[in-house]
Amino acid sequence: HGVIREVAKNDDDDVASAATVRIWHTGVGHVQLPTSWGQGDDSGAIDWTRLWNQGGLHCRPAASNHEMEQLQWLKLAANCVINPLTALHRCINGELPRIVPNFDQVQRDILTELWAVAQKQQEIQQQEEEDSSSVSSSVATAPNQGLTIEGMTSFVKKVISDTQQNQ
């Protein structure tokens, strides 16, 4: 359950009829892996990090599983805003604020909806923890604790800036 920031695009609009499809690697990012693999042992993350780095994939373990879950929510936020809007408007990432009518409001509406989903997920997780009595609600740290619409907006803005030429 890592987070990968690599970008690729297809150069053919009609993939279904293309005899040969070319995929272009258009952006280099980094890979972040969870610090543990469910058993509290971080040796798997260290081994995978080393292998991915040897392959040139710029990998590092997240500081904590909480950080990993935050990164997943932020990546989801960027994907929820950027992917459908670039597809609908057939534009590159950097053109979104200029091409999409009322982009700031559209982005805020999308992220507000995602934030509501994150809050519901947090409620469900806390209820499950209380029901199982394995972790008291005062000790539990929900993965989206601290996740804000403003924080997601800043992250999406940075992704758009960093990937301006991507589609």
Side-chain angles (χ1 to χ4, degrees), residues 48-81:
W48 278 105
T49 298
R50 187 178 316 111
L51 286 171
W52 287 49
N53 283 326
Q54 288 171 355
L57 293 176
H58 313 287
C59 184
R60 76 170 181 87
S64 67
N65 287 334
H66 175 73
E67 179 193 9
M68 187 77 250
E69 291 171 355
Q70 287 283 39
L71 290 169
Q72 289 171 331
W73 279 105
L74 291 172
K75 182 166 174 60
L76 181 59
N79 289 346
C80 286
V81 172

Side-chain angles (χ1 to χ4, degrees), residues 35-105:
T35 51
S36 70
W37 301 85
Q39 279 78 52
D41 175 16
D42 67 354
S43 62
I46 293 168
D47 292 342
W48 278 105
T49 298
R50 187 178 316 111
L51 286 171
W52 287 49
N53 283 326
Q54 288 171 355
L57 293 176
H58 313 287
C59 184
R60 76 170 181 87
S64 67
N65 287 334
H66 175 73
E67 179 193 9
M68 187 77 250
E69 291 171 355
Q70 287 283 39
L71 290 169
Q72 289 171 331
W73 279 105
L74 291 172
K75 182 166 174 60
L76 181 59
N79 289 346
C80 286
V81 172
I82 296 169
N83 294 352
L85 294 177
T86 56
L88 287 170
H89 294 276
R90 301 183 71 75
C91 67
I92 59 175
N93 295 357
E95 294 175 332
L96 284 173
R98 184 177 55 82
I99 288 181
V100 176
N102 301 311
F103 174 77
D104 290 338
Q105 185 60 50

Side-chain angles (χ1 to χ4, degrees), residues 104-117:
D104 290 338
Q105 185 60 50
V106 171
Q107 175 180 243
R108 185 160 186 82
D109 290 347
I110 292 168
L111 296 178
T112 298
E113 186 69 24
L114 180 60
W115 186 83
V117 171

